[in-house]
Amino acid sequence: MESDHSGSDDDCGTAPDEAVRQRAVALVQQILDRAYEGEAELYAHLDWLEQALRCRYISDLIFWPDVPPSAEEVVRQALSFGPAIPRPRGAPTDRTNTRR
């Protein structure tokens, strides 16, 4: 799945537009509903969400919340964290928390 994030690391402080936010909510809902086909699609969704929302902890918000979240709440929380420290170019995707 291709990322809609076309900006550079310099624009981390800007919020995603409404279309990106709506797509993020839809993808989080798919993940919460387990409406994806296998790990590859799940990881593609998580990678897209991480990039689009600029939140490296998106999987924690989805899979290990304090209370069961709604898709809207996950996206709201991800956006409230502010920009993450960008991963160096060429570094592998962090999948630390996705295989618990």
Side-chain angles (χ1 to χ4, degrees):
M1 177 174 283
E2 292 292 320
S3 170
D4 286 346
H5 177 64
S6 58
S8 67
D9 288 341
D10 296 333
D11 68 352
C12 284
T14 61
D17 65 21
E18 185 60 20
V20 172
R21 193 193 68 74
Q22 288 177 2
R23 182 171 181 205
V25 170
L27 282 178
V28 170
Q29 190 61 56
Q30 281 185 314
I31 293 169
L32 290 172
D33 293 343
R34 294 184 171 91
Y36 50 86
E37 297 195 22
E39 285 185 6
E41 186 176 10
L42 170 62
Y43 292 142
H45 290 338
L46 291 171
D47 289 345
W48 186 90
L49 288 163
E50 181 181 302
Q51 290 176 17
L53 301 177
R54 298 167 193 96
C55 178
R56 291 174 53 185
Y57 309 104
I58 192 72
S59 64
D60 290 347
L61 296 174
I62 295 170
F63 297 112
W64 299 281
D66 293 332
V67 296
S70 69
E72 286 277 347
E73 181 64 15
V74 168
V75 172
R76 188 196 63 74
Q77 286 180 3
L79 292 172
S80 73
F81 282 128
I85 298 170
R87 193 174 283 126
R89 293 201 189 281
T93 301
D94 179 11
R95 299 193 194 282
T96 306
N97 294 323
T98 56
R99 294 185 186 250
R100 282 189 185 168

